[in-house]
Amino acid sequence: MTVPAPTGSWRAGGSDDESGAATVVAVAILGAVVALAIGVTGVLGASVASQSAANAADASALAAADALSGAVAGEPCALAGDLARRNGATLVGCRVEGAVAVVSVAVAHGPLRATGSARAGPPGWDR
């Protein structure tokens, strides 16, 4: 009696069928790309908030310095606060050092805050 030869290769523990392996790799790559995109979006959003805070601080300091110089009527820190609000920021600090205005603002970005500060006054002013 003869035993017929096997028609395929045989491995201990399973078959040679690898169908679906490419799907698993594709899903893993897609997941990595989505995670990277979410991370980059968060970093870019924080960068935009930081730049907004810097711009609002600059505008607020200039408004306060204009009030100090008499170019515009009003109280320097009140004008700085108004300009900060118009630029989507909150005035955190404002002080006058002679003819120079120093302001600090904050811009909310989700649960975090981006801050910016600026100093404005006449050229060459050294307190």
Side-chain angles (χ1 to χ4, degrees), residues 27-91:
V27 168
I29 290 171
L30 183 62
V33 167
V34 168
L36 182 65
I38 289 171
V40 167
T41 302
V43 169
L44 291 177
S47 176
V48 168
S50 174
Q51 189 60 50
S52 294
N55 291 342
D58 287 343
S60 298
L62 288 170
D66 283 347
L68 285 172
S69 72
V72 241
E75 197 273 319
C77 289
L79 288 173
D82 184 43
L83 253 296
R85 275 189 304 282
R86 289 183 187 189
N87 283 287
T90 303
L91 185 67

Side-chain angles (χ1 to χ4, degrees), residues 52-62 64 76-77 79-85 88-97 101-107 113-120:
S52 294
N55 291 342
D58 287 343
S60 298
L62 288 170
C77 289
L79 288 173
D82 184 43
L83 253 296
R85 275 189 304 282
T90 303
L91 185 67
V92 175
C94 177
R95 69 181 189 275
V96 174
E97 299 172 353
V102 180
V103 299
S104 298
V105 300
V107 173
R113 284 180 7 156
T115 60
S117 60
R119 180 177 188 269

